[in-house]
């Protein structure tokens, strides 16, 4: 299939570079645990094909492009065929108990019971749906033995859910002999996350698949495609976990999915205000679809530059505060539920909320889309690296302010970490991930990274150890510097 192929490697160094030695023990531990379960179960089952050596999968809107990078944390999946059921284990079995599923990919996902295994099952279903969509023969429904381990903290905003869904999708595609490109896997992995109750935008999955060392990626959607954006030398990104946990699936209705609904409603209301019929506007799904109407009315003159036209339209055509359900239905000429007849996640939002903040959500989306373009332009420009770093930092600061004030997806802990980061010399800092908890990312000049990490550790992270919320051993996983890293890959190892 066209697109970027999933690379297959036989050495950890091919994926981890100089960090290969540091992860060898982890791979050996997963291999040992996987083989112990596989061979014990093979003796007990006395049926099905003999399990094979494991194959490995590592690592891991609104219609607008995004500009993420992959970090060095990852999820590893080992899988063997055997038996009649799908048995899934985690190296951290005390936190993530073993699970057993039917081999039937048409089984449902129990979104009412949040379980780590739901992400595996979503990926499993997603692979078979991708097979059907491509018109390929359905793979044989043999059992699987799967062992998983991830270093991406859950609820941290670092895409732990996308990491597991993508890693599982990659390795299952290989097991079933499917030649899916990285772009195609990113697309169906994003769709598959909706089985756990999250209306995913696709950025996390795209960068989990397409990340590359040393560069960020400008990712566009429908279809997924990525463009290299080399970052200026002289600075690193420092990730700090606020330890305010926000699991997307658990808080989706009142947070992530609510914002998705608000953005679609804002787009529909804008479309009507710009001359589209109510019937047509009910079919508008993203704010990007409204741009041609905005450009037609506001494109000439000073409002026509960058996000000026879109923000002018938002300020003039959407009132401040909230829109009630009745007000929106009167403008669109139909019950809101009719817009989401095949979307249970959105239906749940509408059953829970009757007031929607449309102006602020639209203003954030249009301004953030413009910042993505500006970030790329700075990186590709001719200015000195130090000037580029300063400009990128300012864009990050503006982005966090918009996330906090307009999209309202920050939280007190994230805001405090950002304030501390700026006071300790970060060029720029913002929340990362879906928000409402998780991590911040700070841009720090390379010669200041060590001192920056030490100060932020002493002020914010180490007190969490005293509170019993974090162990001393886990400190390096909760604050660290990272350059852009590799995305998904297959590893065939002799361990």
């Amino acid at each position: 299939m066209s697109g970027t192929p999933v690379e297959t490697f036989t050495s950890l160094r091919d994926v981890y570079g100089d960090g290969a030695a540091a992860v060898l023990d982890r791979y050996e531990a997963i291999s040992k645990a996987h083989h112990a379960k596989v061979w014990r179960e093979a003796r007990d089952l006395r049926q099905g094909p003999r399990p094979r050596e494991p194959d490995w999968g590592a690592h891991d809107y609104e219609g607008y492009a995004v500009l993420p990078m992959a970090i060095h944390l990852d999820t590893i999946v080992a899988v063997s065929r055997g038996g009649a059921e799908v048995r899934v284990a985690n190296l951290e079995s005390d936190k993530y108990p073993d699970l057993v599923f039917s081999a039937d990919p048409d089984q449902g996902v129990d979104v009412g019971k949040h379980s780590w295994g739901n992400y595996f099952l979503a990926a499993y279903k997603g692979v078979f749906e991708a097979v059907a969509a491509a018109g390929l023969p359905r793979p044989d429904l043999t059992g699987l033995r799967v062992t998983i381990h991830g270093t991406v903290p859950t609820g941290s905003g670092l895409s732990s859910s996308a990491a597991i869904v993508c890693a599982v999708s990659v390795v299952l595609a290989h097991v079933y002999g499917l030649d899916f490109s990285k772009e195609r896997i990113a697309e169906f992995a994003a769709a598959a996350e909706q089985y756990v109750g999250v209306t995913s935008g696709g950025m996390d999955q795209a960068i989990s698949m397409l990340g590359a060392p040393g560069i960020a990626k400008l990712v566009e959607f429908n279809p997924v495609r990525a463009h290299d954006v080399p970052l200026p030398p002289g600075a690193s990104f420092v990730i700090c976990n606020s330890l305010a946990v926000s699991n997307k699936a658990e808080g989706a209705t009142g947070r992530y999915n609510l914002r998705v609904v608000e953005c679609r409603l804002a787009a529909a209301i804008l479309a009507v205000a710009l001359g589209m019929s109510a019937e047509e506007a009910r079919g508008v799904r993203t704010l990007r679809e409204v741009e041609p109407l905005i450009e037609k009315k506001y494109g000439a003159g000073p409002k026509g530059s960058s996000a000026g036209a879109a923000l002018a339209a938002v300020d003039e055509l959407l009132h401040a505060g909230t829109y009630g359900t009745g007000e929106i239905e009167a403008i669109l000429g139909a019950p809101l539920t009719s817009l989401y007849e095949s979307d249970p996640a959105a239906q749940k939002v509408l059953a829970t909320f009757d007031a929607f903040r449309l102006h602020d959500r639209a203003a954030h989306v249009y301004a953030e889309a413009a910042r993505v373009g500006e970030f790329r332009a700075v990186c590709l420009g001719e200015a000195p690296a130090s000037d580029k770093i300063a400009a990128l930092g300012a864009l990050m600061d503006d982005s966090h302010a918009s996330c906090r004030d307009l999209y309202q997806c920050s939280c007190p802990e994230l805001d405090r970490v950002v304030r501390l980061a700026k006071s300790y010399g970060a060029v720029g800092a913002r929340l990362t991930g879906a928000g409402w908890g998780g991590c911040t990312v700070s841009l720090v000049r390379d010669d200041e990274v060590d001192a920056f990490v030490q100060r932020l550790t002493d002020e914010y992270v180490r007190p969490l150890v005293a509170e019993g919320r974090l162990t001393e051993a886990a400190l390096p996983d909760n604050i660290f510097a990272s350059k852009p890293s590799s995305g998904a890959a297959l590893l065939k190892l002799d361990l």
Side-chain angles (χ1 to χ4, degrees):
M1 293 185 178
S2 61
T4 308
V6 176
E7 301 97 332
T8 299
F9 300 111
T10 57
S11 166
L12 290 176
R13 179 169 287 277
D14 292 331
V15 174
Y16 293 93
D18 292 340
V23 298
L24 178 59
D25 287 349
R26 182 168 160 235
Y27 273 84
E28 290 178 337
I30 297 170
S31 179
K32 181 179 179 180
H34 183 78
H35 279 87
K37 287 181 179 292
V38 165
W39 297 117
R40 182 178 67 246
E41 290 166 1
R43 288 194 301 271
D44 295 342
L45 286 168
R46 301 170 189 261
Q47 61 180 345
R50 187 174 177 86
R52 304 181 313 176
E53 289 294 300
D55 299 311
W56 301 85
H59 289 280
D60 169 300
Y61 36 90
E62 274 297 298
Y64 284 103
V66 292
L67 213 163
M69 72 173 203
I71 60 175
H72 68 273
L73 303 181
D74 64 11
T75 293
I76 301 169
V77 179
V79 63
S80 300
R81 281 179 136 167
E85 300 171 311
V86 177
R87 294 177 174 264
V88 186
N90 195 296
L91 200 59
E92 298 180 82
S93 56
D94 55 330
K95 292 169 59 178
Y96 307 107
D98 292 4
L99 299 167
V100 180
F101 299 106
S102 159
D104 179 10
D106 297 325
Q107 65 191 288
V109 178
D110 185 0
V111 295
K113 182 181 179 182
H114 183 67
S115 164
W116 78 277
N118 286 357
Y119 294 103
F120 170 86
L121 190 53
Y124 185 71
K125 291 171 67 66
V127 169
F128 280 88
E129 288 190 350
V131 167
L136 299 172
R138 193 178 207 183
D140 294 336
L141 297 183
T142 57
L144 297 172
R145 299 297 179 263
V146 182
T147 305
I148 297 174
H149 183 252
T151 56
V152 187
T154 59
S156 65
L158 297 179
S159 309
S160 59
S161 59
I164 187 171
V165 173
C166 287
V168 169
S169 297
V170 166
V171 77
L172 290 183
H174 174 72
V175 165
Y176 295 133
L178 304 170
D179 187 23
F180 289 130
S181 69
K182 287 187 173 185
E183 290 86 353
R184 182 68 188 108
I185 294 175
E187 289 173 340
F188 73 70
E193 277 209 48
Q194 297 184 34
Y195 282 120
V196 298
V198 177
T199 308
S200 177
M203 177 185 75
D204 296 350
Q205 296 80 8
I207 196 61
S208 289
M209 294 303 305
L210 294 159
I215 56 176
K217 290 281 187 174
L218 181 76
V219 179
E220 298 178 282
F221 301 97
N222 302 315
V224 168
R225 54 207 184 278
H227 313 278
D228 293 352
V229 179
L231 296 167
S236 297
F237 292 99
V238 176
I239 312 298
C240 179
N241 192 345
S242 73
L243 250 66
V245 176
S246 179
N247 288 313
K248 284 194 295 185
E250 293 181 85
T253 298
R255 293 175 172 177
Y256 194 90
N257 292 350
L258 174 59
R259 297 300 184 272
V260 174
V261 168
E262 287 177 317
C263 288
R264 179 178 176 182
L265 295 178
I269 300 298
L270 276 174
V272 170
L274 289 162
M276 185 179 286
S277 71
E279 182 179 4
E280 288 181 291
R282 293 196 295 270
V284 172
R285 303 191 67 87
T286 67
L287 285 159
R288 187 172 190 175
E289 294 174 56
V290 185
E291 271 205 355
L293 297 175
I294 292 174
E295 292 172 2
K296 184 176 179 181
K297 182 173 181 180
Y298 296 90
K303 294 177 182 176
S305 60
S306 188
L311 293 176
V314 169
D315 287 342
E316 292 178 21
L317 303 176
L318 296 178
H319 65 66
T322 60
Y323 282 72
T325 298
E327 181 181 5
I328 299 171
E329 289 180 340
I331 295 171
L332 297 182
L336 292 191
T337 52
S338 68
L339 277 67
Y340 299 98
E341 291 179 345
S342 60
D343 187 341
Q347 292 277 4
K348 190 173 181 180
V349 168
L350 297 176
T352 307
F353 298 94
D354 59 5
F356 306 95
R357 197 171 291 274
L358 307 188
H359 173 281
D360 290 354
R361 308 312 184 225
H364 168 76
V365 168
Y366 284 132
E368 195 79 338
R371 278 188 285 271
V372 167
E374 292 169 23
F375 199 101
R376 178 175 185 259
V378 168
C379 290
L380 299 179
E382 299 297 328
S386 59
D387 292 349
K388 289 184 179 182
I389 292 168
L392 298 180
L395 289 169
M396 292 174 66
D397 291 343
D398 290 345
S399 178
H400 183 77
S402 185
C403 288
R404 180 191 63 217
D405 301 333
L406 296 178
Y407 214 60
Q408 294 180 304
C409 63
S410 189
C411 67
E413 294 89 342
L414 287 171
D415 292 339
R416 181 174 178 232
V417 176
V418 166
R419 288 195 302 271
L420 290 172
K422 290 293 293 181
S423 70
Y424 296 154
V427 186
R430 71 182 299 273
L431 64 82
T432 186
W436 295 284
C439 292
T440 64
V441 56
S442 301
L443 185 62
V444 181
R445 298 186 189 278
D446 284 341
D447 59 356
E448 300 175 12
V449 165
D450 290 344
F452 175 87
V453 169
Q454 188 62 56
R455 293 191 69 183
L456 194 53
T457 298
D458 291 343
E459 180 66 24
Y460 188 87
V461 185
R462 195 171 296 282
L464 299 175
V465 177
E467 295 171 14
R469 298 173 60 195
L470 188 68
T471 66
E472 189 75 25
L475 274 176
D477 292 332
N478 282 269
I479 181 167
F480 55 87
S482 181
K483 300 283 189 180
S485 301
S486 298
L490 276 164
L491 285 158
K492 286 181 166 289
L493 304 174
D494 183 16
L495 295 175

